[in-house]
Amino acid sequence: MTPLRTAKTLSLGLTIALGLFAQAKTSHAQQLETLTVAGGCFWCVEADFEKVQGVKEAVSGFAGGTVENPTYKQVVKGGTGHLEAVQITYDPAQVQVDTLLSLFFRSIDPTDAGGQFCDRGATYSTAVFATPSQVDAANAAKASAQADLGQTVVTPVLQASTFYPADSYHQDYYKQSKIILTRFGPKSKASAYKAYRQACGRDARVKELWGSAAPFAGS
């Protein structure tokens, strides 16, 4: 084989290999799925689920309302119909939606219809925003949670609707080093988050309800 032909052969082989690699990456990316849930403060839900193996990203935002592209101030003021929610992007080859739903119900107080923990009002209500392919799994997870608790689970399974990400200030709040002014003085967002989570009683209530089955208490 001549040097020129050898070079062409190697070049073709490299091109094919790169093409297959790119195709594999695209195919993998196309396999990712999303699950949208509302579990009270979205900082906490985001922080919890980003710890789960197979979850690629959790984004804080809003779902379930009628106002397009709502701001945080609009939602917390009320009247938009939106709940604080988190969209979880996951690899179903690594974690199944059934598992995520089971973790979700055991990371909230699904018996509370008036909000979650110290955060009161409709904005902080719980819900699963299920796609048609997720409805059965969501209802099964709800029934399982109710049976395990021996109490009525009021968290509704709702039809998936448009999810609106919150602004950058609220994303990854639990791990940001940016200093902000709090009622306890200047703190990093990460420190402020930990103080809020403890003061709000989230983990204490979840442990009270679920005991050792609580997957994230203490996060």
Side-chain angles (χ1 to χ4, degrees):
M1 183 179 293
T2 66
L4 179 59
R5 187 172 180 183
T6 300
K8 286 183 176 180
T9 301
L10 290 173
S11 177
L12 178 60
L14 180 60
T15 299
I16 292 173
L18 289 173
L20 290 173
F21 177 72
Q23 184 178 15
K25 286 188 69 177
T26 301
S27 175
H28 182 73
Q30 290 175 341
Q31 292 175 358
L32 296 181
E33 297 179 7
T34 60
L35 170 67
T36 302
V37 295
C41 170
F42 51 23
W43 297 341
C44 298
V45 180
E46 178 187 344
D48 287 344
F49 278 90
E50 285 196 341
K51 296 178 177 69
V52 177
Q53 184 175 359
V55 170
K56 302 306 177 183
E57 184 181 31
V59 176
S60 291
F62 315 105
T66 56
V67 175
E68 294 185 4
N69 300 308
T71 65
Y72 178 77
K73 288 184 178 181
Q74 284 178 306
V75 173
V76 297
K77 183 178 179 181
T80 68
H82 287 289
L83 310 185
E84 283 201 10
V86 172
Q87 187 170 80
I88 303 162
T89 300
Y90 65 97
D91 185 346
Q94 296 181 356
V95 61
Q96 295 294 311
V97 70
D98 311 67
T99 299
L100 295 175
L101 288 163
S102 177
L103 292 173
F104 168 68
F105 276 103
R106 287 157 184 79
S107 67
I108 61 171
D109 179 354
T111 69
D112 187 350
Q116 285 291 280
F117 318 108
C118 68
D119 294 314
R120 312 313 299 163
T123 300
Y124 298 103
S125 298
T126 61
V128 176
F129 295 96
T131 64
S133 65
Q134 295 170 341
V135 169
D136 288 346
N139 284 325
K142 178 177 179 176
S144 173
Q146 183 160 293
D148 287 351
L149 277 182
Q151 301 181 50
T152 300
V153 168
V154 298
T155 301
V157 175
L158 304 176
Q159 182 178 350
S161 59
T162 303
F163 174 81
Y164 297 99
D167 59 86
S168 60
Y169 177 88
H170 295 285
Q171 306 301 335
D172 294 322
Y173 193 97
Y174 72 100
K175 58 184 178 182
Q176 286 191 36
S177 59
K178 182 178 179 179
I179 302 299
I180 58 172
L181 185 62
T182 74
R183 60 178 176 168
F184 305 108
K187 284 182 175 289
S188 69
K189 283 186 175 181
S191 295
Y193 164 76
K194 289 180 180 179
Y196 155 76
R197 183 164 180 145
Q198 182 175 7
C200 197
R202 187 182 188 100
D203 293 329
R205 176 57 176 157
V206 169
K207 284 181 179 179
E208 180 186 352
L209 276 173
W210 294 104
S212 60
F216 307 119
S219 298

